[in-house]
Amino acid sequence: MKILLIIPAYNEEESILSTISSIEKIRETFPHQLDYLVINDGSIDSTEDILKQNKINYVTLLINSGIGVAVQTGYKFALENEYDIAVQFDGDGQHDINSLENLISSLITKKADLAVGSRFLEEKKSEFQTTLMRRVGINILSFFIKAVSGKRIRDTTSGYRAGNKKVIKEFAKRYPTKYPEPESIVYLLKKGYTIKECPVNMFERQGGTSSITPFKSVRYMIDVCSAILILLLLKEED
């Protein structure tokens, strides 16, 4: 199996090198071919210098285009290079590379098209659970997605996820730009794809600061619910 880690990075000078180091540590013993591509999303710090100096595989977007565009760039690369599985993996050090085998297992056994890494599954909760405000918002989104799609996804905003060849093709063609994680879940459910949550471990970000404030969390929740309703009303694309 050929597996690609898609690593979006915007101003991650404090964490990108340790993130890549964690991947390099498991590559030789990993049971499948494991490659990675950093998408430098127009960083204005020294992220690109670090990538270049350490000969890390990357591409640079000339301007900051947002997480959706950065991730879709990775899916296009995965499609063009015929990867079997593409995994979204944050550049800020939050995702535990040791959870990767568990995340992709349902794709390898063909039990799912998209595997979503969850911090909240009862059988194995992540060490890091995020803030109370965000957990409340995630629970509301989870309830809303189940109400409109019939499928419960507990960790609706998780960016640690893996897609098979069919999902790679879908996301290379169309990937939400404003609220990518929950919107893409609803999009795939609407098109009949199978989504499975898998327990993964996550950490607090290793550097930088999050742009999501408590006020923005509330606004995000309202906006994404509206976006999902609009998505469900749109005529399904060919």
Side-chain angles (χ1 to χ4, degrees), residues 19 39 52 56 71 78 83 87 141 150 153 174 184 193 200-201 205 210 215 217 223 227:
T19 296
I39 315 298
K52 187 180 297 183
I56 292 168
V71 169
Y83 280 91
V87 181
L141 284 177
I153 303 294
R174 181 194 186 280
S184 59
Y193 287 94
V200 297
N201 188 45
R205 60 184 298 132
S210 173
F215 173 77
S217 294
D223 286 352

Side-chain angles (χ1 to χ4, degrees), residues 9-29:
Y10 176 65
N11 292 346
E12 299 294 358
E13 62 182 7
E14 295 179 40
S15 57
I16 192 62
L17 195 55
S18 60
T19 296
I20 299 303
S21 296
S22 72
I23 296 168
E24 292 290 356
K25 284 180 182 178
I26 73 161
R27 286 184 76 189
E28 288 188 8
T29 58

Side-chain angles (χ1 to χ4, degrees), residues 132-144:
L132 176 61
M133 177 67 75
R134 290 193 191 184
R135 290 201 303 272
V136 170
I138 288 168
N139 285 334
I140 292 172
L141 284 177
S142 177
F143 175 83
F144 186 75

Side-chain angles (χ1 to χ4, degrees), residues 136-206:
V136 170
I138 288 168
N139 285 334
I140 292 172
L141 284 177
S142 177
F143 175 83
F144 186 75
I145 289 175
K146 184 179 181 182
V148 299
S149 71
K151 174 72 175 179
R152 185 182 182 191
I153 303 294
R154 292 173 176 84
D155 203 344
T156 55
T157 63
S158 171
Y160 197 3
R161 45 183 33 199
N164 63 14
K165 279 190 170 184
K166 293 187 293 183
V167 168
I168 290 171
K169 187 175 181 179
E170 287 284 356
F171 285 167
K173 179 177 68 175
R174 181 194 186 280
Y175 195 75
T177 56
K178 200 166 186 182
Y179 312 110
E181 291 87 4
E183 276 193 73
S184 59
I185 286 172
V186 174
Y187 175 72
L188 290 184
L189 289 173
K190 182 181 177 183
K191 299 201 76 170
Y193 287 94
T194 301
I195 299 177
K196 179 179 174 59
E197 276 192 284
C198 305
V200 297
N201 188 45
M202 296 192 194
F203 309 109
E204 290 191 71
R205 60 184 298 132
Q206 294 179 10

